[in-house]
Amino acid sequence: DNHKAKHWLSQAAIQGLPEAQYALGKLLLSDDWEVRDPDEGIRWLKQAAENGSHFAAYRMGKEYLEGNAVNKDTTRAADWFARSAEAGNQYAQYMLGKLYLTGQGVQQDLAQAMDWFSRSAAQGNQYAQFFLERQDDLRPPSVMLAVTHLLYHMSRIFEDHSLPRSSTGLQ
């Protein structure tokens, strides 16, 4: 029952529990139209991140990277990912590595990308390990790096020219 969950999570979130603030933020950002409130969800996620939740900081980074509940801003996404990555979140470390690799929201820096991929891979992230194993292929002139850039730009084209979301969330 998402209404009850919202009620009890709100009670705990108001008391300052970062785990409840994070869970409440995720619930309010969910596709459940009965409880969905993106602005309030972002507010609770931000509060949880400021109270030390690296999961919330990672989710804030994803929100800014995707631009669904907030305006897309890769620089802010990188800031949130960095906050989470420095707290040890392997997913944020991987995402930060990708941002440094492609130069999105940060100055492109292969050494920084490999550092973040290394930290993430050390925690078992197979995607980060993939980039580490192919780091020599990423040095200019690099076909793999060019393909990564191409895929990023293609995704932007499709994103910018996609049909508007329907009320069911389908595109």
Side-chain angles (χ1 to χ4, degrees):
D1 182 343
N2 282 341
H3 284 291
K4 285 184 184 176
K6 180 181 174 184
H7 170 77
W8 291 112
L9 287 171
S10 294
Q11 297 302 309
I14 291 167
Q15 297 297 315
L17 296 171
E19 299 83 3
Q21 293 167 340
Y22 170 63
L24 180 59
K26 281 181 46 177
L27 178 64
L28 295 171
L29 289 168
S30 74
D31 289 333
D32 184 342
W33 61 271
E34 293 180 347
V35 294
R36 183 170 170 78
D37 185 344
D39 292 337
E40 194 68 7
I42 292 295
R43 186 178 77 76
W44 281 114
L45 279 182
K46 185 175 180 185
Q47 185 68 47
E50 289 172 355
N51 286 334
S53 171
H54 66 83
F55 297 112
Y58 170 72
R59 179 67 186 260
M60 287 293 293
K62 285 189 69 165
E63 291 297 331
Y64 278 105
L65 190 62
E66 295 168 358
N68 295 326
V70 294
N71 290 329
K72 187 172 185 165
D73 185 335
T74 54
T75 300
R76 289 182 87 176
D79 291 341
W80 284 110
F81 284 139
R83 199 176 208 179
S84 181
E86 290 178 13
N89 185 303
Q90 68 163 304
Y91 306 106
Q93 292 167 343
Y94 168 72
M95 290 302 298
L96 199 53
K98 281 181 56 177
L99 293 179
Y100 274 109
L101 181 65
T102 59
Q104 296 177 56
V106 293
Q107 181 70 35
Q108 188 173 13
D109 185 334
L110 187 60
Q112 277 280 64
M114 291 305 121
D115 180 52
W116 287 114
F117 287 145
S118 293
R119 294 182 195 196
S120 183
Q123 296 186 66
N125 189 308
Q126 296 174 348
Y127 299 107
Q129 186 63 43
F130 172 85
F131 281 105
L132 286 174
E133 290 169 359
R134 287 153 184 83
Q135 66 182 298
D136 289 336
D137 297 335
L138 299 173
R139 302 199 188 284
S142 165
V143 172
M144 188 167 171
L145 187 55
V147 169
T148 303
H149 281 291
L150 177 63
L151 290 174
Y152 168 71
H153 290 294
M154 286 177 64
S155 72
R156 296 288 309 256
I157 291 168
F158 287 112
E159 190 175 289
D160 293 344
H161 300 300
S162 66
L163 296 173
R165 288 183 182 263
S166 70
S167 60
T168 61
L170 299 175
Q171 292 190 19

